[in-house]
Amino acid sequence: MNRNDPCPCGSGRRYKHCHGRIDSAGPGAPHAEALTAHRSGSLERAEALYRRAIDERPDHVESRHMLGVLQFERMRFGEALDLLWEAAERTGWAEPAIRKNLGLALATFLGPQANARQEVLVAGYTARARALKGAAPVAARVSVVLPVYNDARLVARAIASVAAQTYGDIELVVVDDGSTDDTATVVAQCLSGLAFPAKLVRREHRGAGPAANAGATQAAGRYLAFLGARDRYAPDRIERMVAEIARATPLWGFSRVAYAVDDGGGSGGREPHRDAAARPRDFLGHEPASFTLLTQDVAGSSGNLFIDRKLFLDLGGYGDRAQFRGWDLCVRAAEAVEPVAVDQRLYFLGERERSPAPGQTGPASADRMAAALIASALTREAPVANEFCPQFAGNRDLLLRAELRAGRGDRIPVPTLRSLAATWRDRANAAQPRKRNASAPGAADRTALVVLGVYRSGTSALSRALNLCGAFLPERVLAPRLGINPKGFWETEAVNHLDARLLLHLGADWKRVDFVLPQEGPIVDEFLADAGRLLATEYGDAPFILIKDPRICVLAPLWHRALKQNGYRPVYVVPVRNPLEVARSLEAQGDMPTADGLALWLTYMQRVEAFVDSIGAGVVHLRYTELLDDWRRVVDRIARRLHVPLALDRRADEVDRFLEAGLRNHQAADGELEAHFAAAPGDALRAMYRQLLDRCERDAAGAS
């Protein structure tokens, strides 16, 4: 192990600063050797060494902790939970790294009930979004509330951005919060001659929050739009916010924000840093906006708020807190009504302090705010109205699972975390894995249909269609996610976990697969052994199973061996989608630029085709567009070519409803790919795509 590598305990520190400290009071050689073996991926050896270290020093917490981490990696979740519980108890629940890792284990136990709730939540949220888009906006006056305090130098620009709005029915309420400079004079000059109602309210200095609240009480509009004196609107800000948010029922929301690139009042800007605001598509692809509001201030500024005036007043307006007043209000508003995040940069942040003064906002104080919000949501007893927000009682498991899975178990209040762990320990130990009859070595009395396709290439749609037509999937599959796969991924959680672990030990991840896949050695032996246990416990005696995880594209030779060793006849389906569509979809989700997405597509598909050529048979290629156009013909082709028992009429109505046209959000003609590479090298990619299309045509012709 390199001493500069991350420590395998999950602390986030380097090995040399954590368990690899020279002065570490560890139990000696077995523990140090175990850590080295663990880091290198020799998990069986690491396990034996950890156990030896515990035998020599039963009171040594870190050997138990790391053995718990190792058992989690090997999907022995019950034993992992026991070991991590014991480590937490022995340290009085004071060690953050232990709580984080225990949380990761607990997240797996929360999976089934959290997944069931997430499926309901995603369906309801998607239906709500469609209904909002389908409803006509109401005609509404919008009152822009602009608090100012000693802003004589910049306020004219803010007012000019209001005057430039393309939406006509507005008024402007400027609240001078006791300025001692020429702010009031500048504001008065700016307000004279405006083409819409405007007024200046002067008051004693009490702070920006109370000033904004005072402006709201003076406003006449149905909706309030706030604006900071140092900030400005895009010209179509109000028009777009009305179009997205103004409805018959009270709503609120915010837009994307950007930093202004100059002081000239233009509409250009650059994206803010993550702690200032996130792009709505970055978080709406994962969860409702109200969930992300517990972990970061995604609105970015109190001026970015657009809200029904009555709702604002009913909430009591901005609170007394000086820090994060906008964030605080957003969280309270989200408890009443789910926000609408408008995916356009319509609010431009002006000058900000270069570094926060003591007591002002910054990354550390934002983390403390997030931790406090999480704790409050998990211990809240009062009911909330918004069924989509994490404070809603039915969503508590979702919030817990999200925090624990993200490695933030140290944010969960210790009594809550300890109670949850105690609840699941007995259940985990009582649960027995499903048994399956042993197959003779080399026998293939079962069939495994494996989907081999890069991310965003239609693998989820294909997998669900195959599943509905008779290919078995375990109950524990990845839950649907908003904006990415709202109808589900249809890949087994355990397969996902095992593949992620193997890539980690190979120094890779799903975006970075420039490794040589080993054919022998401890990592391979342990992968094959764990894959066998996975097949036995997850799939049982099912005679015809479905396996899908895009990472199998780069791990296929090892999965092929594992399936054959466990009595399966492996066969493969390769969905082919225009690489430009794949790359654009990856970019739209915030994963990578289009150029990187094209490179990833090529790397994955080169691995797939090399594997396909090596086995020579038992493979069908098909175009994703074919599946959406005529799934019956495609499934029939797969059944006949691969000799698998897929039944077209088994649940045909469900397949029809599932495979809607909206599953193809990004479309590109084959000619667009040629045009894309007109000024850039792309011979290898174009050659691979042509080869795949030829194989699709060959397989289609062979099935006719």
Side-chain angles (χ1 to χ4, degrees):
M1 174 191 285
N2 188 317
R3 289 176 54 77
N4 287 315
D5 288 339
C7 189
C9 76
S11 66
R13 299 190 293 271
R14 292 183 180 183
Y15 173 64
K16 67 181 180 183
H17 295 145
C18 192
H19 287 88
R21 294 195 308 271
I22 300 298
D23 61 346
S24 176
H31 184 74
E33 290 177 28
L35 284 167
T36 300
H38 193 167
R39 175 67 183 170
S40 68
S42 299
L43 301 187
E44 286 199 16
R45 173 171 166 74
E47 179 178 348
L49 288 165
Y50 284 134
R51 293 193 187 280
R52 179 180 160 194
I54 293 170
D55 288 342
E56 292 181 2
R57 284 274 304 275
D59 61 336
H60 190 259
V61 171
E62 277 309 313
S63 292
R64 296 180 188 275
H65 174 201
M66 292 310 302
L67 181 56
V69 171
L70 183 146
Q71 299 295 48
F72 171 77
E73 290 182 32
R74 301 203 74 176
M75 297 179 289
R76 300 166 181 171
F77 300 124
E79 186 174 354
L81 184 56
D82 279 340
L83 287 161
L84 292 166
W85 165 276
E86 193 169 338
E89 288 284 287
R90 287 171 180 259
T91 56
W93 295 79
E95 176 54 51
I98 294 175
R99 299 204 307 274
K100 289 179 181 181
N101 288 322
L102 184 142
L104 291 172
L106 282 173
T108 65
F109 294 107
L110 286 170
Q113 62 212 52
N115 284 352
R117 176 57 188 167
Q118 185 163 330
E119 186 174 348
V120 172
L121 190 72
V122 168
Y125 194 96
T126 302
R128 174 185 181 268
R130 287 177 176 172
L132 287 177
K133 287 190 177 297
V138 298
R141 168 161 289 190
V142 177
S143 297
V144 178
V145 177
L146 172 58
V148 294
Y149 176 70
N150 289 345
D151 290 307
R153 186 171 64 88
L154 297 173
V155 69
R157 185 182 63 179
I159 294 174
S161 78
V162 179
Q165 290 302 296
T166 57
Y167 188 77
D169 193 4
I170 61 176
E171 70 165 350
L172 175 61
V173 180
V174 182
V175 182
D176 182 3
D177 190 42
S179 295
T180 57
D181 65 356
D182 293 332
T183 295
T185 301
V186 173
V187 169
Q189 292 173 347
C190 292
L191 297 188
S192 63
L194 288 179
F196 48 81
K199 58 185 170 183
L200 171 62
V201 178
R202 304 191 67 179
R203 51 181 307 203
E204 294 181 356
H205 179 61
R206 292 179 54 198
N213 293 342
T217 63
Q218 295 284 328
R222 161 81 184 273
Y223 278 88
L224 301 173
F226 294 90
L227 176 61
R230 301 181 180 191
D231 305 334
R232 63 177 182 264
Y233 289 159
D236 58 344
R237 157 86 178 183
I238 302 298
E239 181 181 359
R240 295 307 313 146
M241 300 304 281
V242 168
E244 298 282 348
I245 297 174
R247 298 295 187 272
T249 56
L251 292 175
W252 71 284
F254 45 85
S255 73
R256 286 171 60 184
V257 301
Y259 285 137
V261 295
D262 55 41
D263 291 330
S267 60
R270 60 180 174 86
E271 295 287 357
H273 297 297
R274 181 188 62 80
D275 59 341
R279 295 179 300 171
R281 68 181 178 188
D282 287 344
F283 62 83
L284 288 180
H286 299 81
E287 58 195 359
S290 54
F291 271 77
T292 306
L293 278 167
L294 287 192
T295 60
Q296 59 178 300
D297 181 11
V298 289
S301 168
S302 59
N304 191 20
L305 189 68
F306 186 92
I307 186 169
D308 179 274
R309 180 172 174 269
K310 182 178 184 302
L311 176 60
F312 179 84
L313 296 176
D314 287 345
L315 291 168
Y318 293 105
D320 294 332
R321 61 184 309 137
Q323 286 188 347
F324 304 119
R325 64 179 180 276
W327 190 0
D328 170 74
L329 178 60
C330 284
V331 171
R332 289 188 286 117
E335 293 176 357
V337 181
E338 181 66 23
V340 176
V342 179
D343 192 13
Q344 291 178 273
R345 288 185 293 174
L346 301 173
Y347 192 93
F348 292 92
L349 301 168
E351 294 182 3
R352 293 294 190 270
E353 296 294 335
R354 293 299 179 187
S355 58
Q360 291 185 332
T361 61
S365 57
D367 286 343
R368 290 192 294 271
M369 174 76 167
L373 290 173
I374 293 292
S376 175
L378 290 174
T379 56
R380 182 188 181 99
E381 295 183 0
V384 299
N386 177 17
E387 64 179 316
F388 301 112
C389 78
Q391 296 91 330
F392 189 76
N395 295 332
R396 187 156 297 177
D397 283 342
L398 276 180
L399 175 60
L400 272 169
R401 198 262 302 267
E403 288 298 294
L404 297 175
R405 182 182 280 176
R408 294 193 288 260
D410 58 328
R411 275 189 180 179
I412 306 299
V414 168
T416 301
L417 187 66
R418 190 177 186 278
S419 175
L420 185 68
T423 298
W424 281 104
R425 282 184 73 220
D426 290 340
R427 298 185 193 179
N429 292 331
Q432 295 296 322
R434 289 189 297 170
K435 303 293 184 181
R436 58 168 287 185
N437 298 323
S439 299
D445 58 344
R446 300 175 179 87
T447 300
L449 180 55
V450 183
V451 176
L452 288 181
V454 69
Y455 294 89
R456 313 310 298 165
S457 63
T459 57
S460 298
L462 174 61
S463 295
R464 181 53 171 164
L466 296 172
N467 169 235
L468 289 171
C469 291
F472 174 77
L473 274 174
E475 179 182 351
R476 292 173 67 101
V477 296
L478 296 183
R481 297 171 76 183
L482 287 169
I484 300 179
N485 274 339
K487 291 194 171 188
F489 292 84
W490 308 107
E491 57 192 68
T492 309
E493 288 184 347
V495 171
N496 191 285
H497 180 103
L498 181 59
D499 290 345
R501 186 194 85 190
L502 179 57
L503 287 180
L504 177 66
H505 285 303
L506 293 174
D509 58 40
W510 74 271
K511 296 181 181 180
R512 186 171 47 87
V513 292
D514 53 343
F515 59 86
V516 176
L517 186 66
Q519 299 302 308
E520 305 296 338
I523 289 179
V524 172
D525 294 341
E526 288 157 12
F527 173 84
L528 295 175
D530 289 343
R533 280 190 289 270
L534 181 158
L535 291 167
T537 57
E538 295 292 321
Y539 289 93
D541 287 321
F544 177 39
I545 69 171
L546 178 68
I547 297 179
K548 174 254 181 178
D549 175 8
R551 284 169 287 204
I552 296 178
C553 290
V554 298
L555 303 174
L558 294 186
W559 268 107
H560 191 73
R561 285 171 60 183
L563 289 166
K564 295 187 74 172
Q565 287 177 9
N566 286 275
Y568 289 93
R569 176 178 68 96
V571 292
Y572 300 90
V573 180
V574 181
V576 177
R577 187 178 183 184
N578 186 311
L580 200 54
E581 293 184 4
V582 171
R584 287 172 177 172
S585 183
L586 289 168
E587 183 176 51
Q589 300 305 330
D591 290 320
M592 61 187 69
T594 296
D596 292 345
L598 289 168
L600 186 77
W601 180 93
L602 178 60
T603 300
Y604 269 63
M605 298 316 296
Q606 284 175 332
R607 296 277 189 118
V608 168
E609 291 305 286
F611 168 72
V612 164
D613 289 341
S614 73
I615 60 174
V619 182
V620 169
H621 293 73
L622 60 94
R623 297 196 69 168
Y624 178 47
T625 51
E626 288 185 88
L627 178 73
L628 299 181
D629 292 341
D630 189 349
W631 69 265
R632 288 171 175 81
R633 182 174 61 184
V634 167
V635 171
D636 179 65
R637 181 192 314 163
I638 294 170
R640 289 191 287 122
R641 293 272 297 179
L642 300 180
H643 307 290
V644 292
L646 293 169
L648 298 184
D649 58 350
R650 186 172 182 267
R651 295 165 73 178
D653 290 345
E654 290 183 65
V655 181
D656 285 333
R657 289 192 296 271
F658 182 81
L659 293 176
E660 61 181 355
L663 291 175
R664 189 185 178 200
N665 292 322
H666 299 272
Q667 300 188 25
D670 291 344
E672 288 185 62
L673 185 64
E674 296 292 334
H676 181 84
F677 284 111
D683 290 345
L685 187 145
R686 285 181 291 192
M688 174 56 64
Y689 187 47
R690 291 191 193 107
Q691 175 181 318
L692 289 166
L693 293 183
D694 288 343
R695 290 189 167 179
C696 290
E697 292 180 9
R698 179 201 64 194
D699 289 349
S704 59

